[in-house]
Amino acid sequence: MVPGRAKRGFVRRSARSVLSGRLSAAFAAVGLAVVLGGVPAQAESQVDHPVPSTGCGKSTVPGASETRTIVSGGITRSYLVHVPENYRKFEPTPVVLSFHGHKRTSEYQEELSGFSATDAIAVYPQGLVGTDGETAWQGAPYSAAADDVLFTGDLLDQLERDFCVAPKRIYAAGKSNGGGFTGVLACRMSDRIAAFAPVSGAFYPQGGECEPERSAPILDFHGTDDQTIPYPGNPEKGLPPIPEWLAGWADRNDCDETPIVRDEGNGVQVSEWVGCDRRSNVVHYRIEGLGHDWPSTQPNPDSDQPAVIDATPIIMQFFAEHRLR
């Protein structure tokens, strides 16, 4: 929030401005794709609100991970889904979407983030091969010219048809480019996803303007020794300093201007912006000496060196505290 400015309150875009934006997208798709680095405009059919689950009562195999496919935007997409051991087919269950980083896979992300060990339906979408020949997500300069926001919405529709999903308890997390895409989803799908947790996020400007329909709870992790996505930012690549990105969300969520900062010890500093609209707090874990890693006290695919905290249980606790209203 700009110093000295009064809290602006969270204001939804008017119906007229939304209609205007949709018409502009419809008539200027090519130009918009250039501006956003090849990212197409959001599809008109995108659902941005909780949808009742019709999958309750359908049988599935608890405790198993399975690769499935779906057609979105005319492209066959894949995702890995894990149903928890304690899943009950008539009991609405939270969903956690976990997005892999640049060059990675859904299987890598499952092992890295560990959400399959939780009580949520854990879903690991697979990114498409981008302009550099490696997998990536929308919002990065090297991503494919595909609408991954549409894919996410279509995927949620499918999950709600196949499983007994709690529609107000859907969450998104991601690592690196997947963390950056999690930020894109916070800007574009805050009426359908309840909370967001980027880890070592790559917040490129190609993600586009951020005008969420509602305030979005944000939990962010970043290491001070991240050489891939530097904590102070990278002006040449358009990457903002992490504190600047966080302040932007504190402003959007109409939080108090100054965060509450606490020292957790072992080089971990936690900043929390409170007083936010709809209790959509912004929380940041700054981890001294951590590289471009998913924090874990055990060796993981990112690093053989254990970190001082485990990000996944902290994320799950944060998610448990937020649901769509």
Side-chain angles (χ1 to χ4, degrees), residues 214-235:
R214 79 170 198 30
S215 49
I218 302 287
L219 171 63
D220 177 74
F221 297 81
H222 216 103
T224 61
D225 199 32
D226 190 330
Q227 302 301 307
T228 304
I229 309 296
Y231 196 92
N234 185 330

Side-chain angles (χ1 to χ4, degrees), residues 170-190:
I170 295 172
Y171 309 98
K175 162 73 192 301
S176 190
N177 169 225
F181 181 59
T182 300
V184 172
L185 291 177
C187 297
R188 300 275 293 276
M189 293 189 69
S190 63

